Amino acid sequence: MKNIKSGWKAFVFEAVKNMAAARNPAAEITPGEIVLEKPPRPELGDIAVPLFPFAKLLKAAPQKIAEDLAAVLGGAEAGEGARFTAAGPYLNIHLPRQDTARKILGLVENQKDAYGNCGALAGRKIMIEFSSPNTNKPLHLGHLRNDALGESLARILKAAGAQVQSVDLINDRGIHICKSMLAYQKAGAGKTPESQGLKPDHFVGGYYVLYNDMAKQNPAIEEEAHAMLRAWEEGDEAVRELWRKMNAWAIEGIKATYKRTGVSFDKFYFESEVYQKGREEILGGLARGVFYKDADGSVWVDLAGIGLDKKVLLRSDGTSLYLTQDIGTAISRHADWPFDRLIYVVASEQNYHFAVLFHVLELLGYEWAKNLYHLSYGMVNLPEGKMKSREGTVVDADDLIRELADMAAGEIRSKERESEVGDIAGVSEKIALGAIHYYLLQAAPAKDMIFNPKESLSFTGNTGPYLQYMGARISSMLRKAAEKNAPAAAPDPALLAAEEEWQLLKLIGEFPETVEQAAQTCNPSLIAAFLYETAKTFSRYYHDYPIILADDPPLASSRLALARGVLTVLRGGMYLLNIPFLEVM
Ligand code: ARG
């Protein structure tokens, strides 16, 4: 549709230019001034061109320009069957339907599953960091939003032609890690995830919760945790061994959740391996006078350049800071894989952190610091209230998926669809993931949101399961048509003359540009909204029009081609949102 549209853009530009030449020879216009919009109602046309920008130049009211253009273009041969009408200050273009339909369906049939991909970001190297858990506890609901955004964006950027490297920063060192280690040392002797029958990250998380209980009883334990961190930094072998053991458990469990949720990474960074680099960088900056030293020996940066106060970069006791670690990590990454852009998918709680991080890297003279971008996303809560991690009442990701899968299985049973569905456990798990990923992605990233499990699972409405359901219905219809081996006629786009068919064709045509926009704005919710609109439009169409018509093979075959186009877009879009596709549901 984009190519089709840009053809019309050039066409209108020529007409405006000619009009300008006749009326005001001094006037100069550029193609960029022609903007294509979507008319508010489909009856008005397919493309609207606002004419306000030319009023001054052409010395006429935009309404008058619209009328004149419509009159001139109405008779133009080059219009290839398009119609032009004026509506107030807009020129509306009614595309030649048969021709456009033929082009769109031809493109889908040719490109198949690659339909939707575009070259907008071709040649760009984009690194995207997401998830980045701490190894003291399992993934929670916030990580599900993070992972949904990161995985989806990685897929969208790839579809837009970029070379993408997804990375995960495992925060495997620091005081919070020592806390679960300390609790295990005191109360876990000899116990293992196997002995307790627990998923290993849940096993480790249990000790983090236990630590917090212990600290309530005995605040002095805090000092023991700090002592353990110092021992870790000094390389104390016993502490390191405990650390390796517990981290291995946590990471094994976290990776199992990634596998379960369809999330993958090209590279893992471990904070313990990169955090020292930050310290060297800060010392280098200090020597060059970029930072300054306090009387107590700590090193500071002045943030006046971004309207903020000052910030400590190295403490006087030499222990490491979150910010310093991130400085080293960013530098290592750019050396490993020189990116054009690095996107950090991290919650809005850390807006300040990233503003400071990017500025400090700029102060250090890294030219690429301007290519760092924080994709900040809002908090997710359950309807009951805020999730709390310290008290251990955090909404665990694995538990939430299991609960939703149980609810989905209940729904399948209550509708008595067990025999059609077959693998109930597998299908319900996919429905649960579809529900979660869609719900988390349909909101614009920056917005805080309430995750409502019940709502997310609804099979009707703006949900993942609704898309899965439409996908399954179309698939089943196409299977039936294939079984009948009917119809034995070539599709003819000219037969797709109903208004609903035209709306569907246009939606199919808009898929690649929707992918492009989502990639440009780092916003998967654009794809969610687009898929919902497409599924809804198809559902209405399917309700009102028979598709497999044995008595009219050319019409049936044309409608099936349309259905295949819708399915291609639905399946492709669901992939971009990490919503499992279901052949039956
Ligand atoms: N592990 C951190 C946390 O849980 C998030 C890390 C975000 N990424 C980064 N490069 N700082 O808060």
Side-chain angles (χ1 to χ4, degrees), residues 129 132 134 169 171 322 326 344 346 350 353-354:
E129 183 215 287
S132 298
N134 303 334
L169 172 66
N171 286 121
Y322 181 50
D326 251 335
Y344 291 88
V346 182
Q350 300 196 23
H353 170 76
F354 284 99

Side-chain angles (χ1 to χ4, degrees), residues 129-137 140 143 146 168-172 176 271 322-323 325-327 329-330 333 342 344-347 349-350 353-354 357 374 377:
E129 183 215 287
F130 64 99
S131 201
S132 298
N134 303 334
T135 54
N136 59 338
K137 54 188 179 199
H140 55 67
H143 289 110
N146 185 314
D168 190 1
L169 172 66
I170 307 282
N171 286 121
D172 61 350
H176 49 301
E271 181 183 352
Y322 181 50
L323 178 64
Q325 170 274 124
D326 251 335
I327 291 167
T329 307
R333 282 175 179 167
L342 166 53
Y344 291 88
V345 182
V346 182
E349 285 174 325
Q350 300 196 23
H353 170 76
F354 284 99
L357 173 65
H374 174 202
Y377 64 88

Side-chain angles (χ1 to χ4, degrees), residues 438 459-474 500 503-505 507-508 511 526-544 547 562-563 565-571 573-574 577 579 581:
Y438 186 86
F459 285 21
T460 55
N462 190 7
T463 66
Y466 174 65
L467 298 183
Q468 290 173 317
Y469 174 70
M470 284 311 299
R473 284 193 72 175
I474 301 176
E500 290 85 344
Q503 298 311 328
L504 280 170
L505 282 162
L507 281 165
I508 296 171
F511 183 47
L526 299 178
I527 292 180
F530 169 81
L531 291 181
Y532 179 49
E533 169 82 24
T534 305
K536 251 190 340 197
T537 309
F538 186 80
S539 159
R540 275 198 302 267
Y541 172 64
Y542 185 61
H543 181 266
D544 294 344
I547 294 184
L562 181 64
V566 170
L567 188 66
T568 301
V569 162
L570 208 55
R571 191 200 291 268
M574 285 166 69
L577 301 182
I579 296 171
F581 185 84

Side-chain angles (χ1 to χ4, degrees), residues 39-41 43-45 47-52 62-68 70 84-94:
R41 280 173 289 118
E43 316 80 272
L44 289 172
I47 299 172
V49 187
L51 296 163
F52 313 97
Q63 285 83 347
K64 175 80 174 95
I65 302 175
E67 281 161 24
D68 292 351
F84 300 87
T85 52
Y90 291 89
L91 172 72
N92 289 330
I93 309 175
H94 309 250

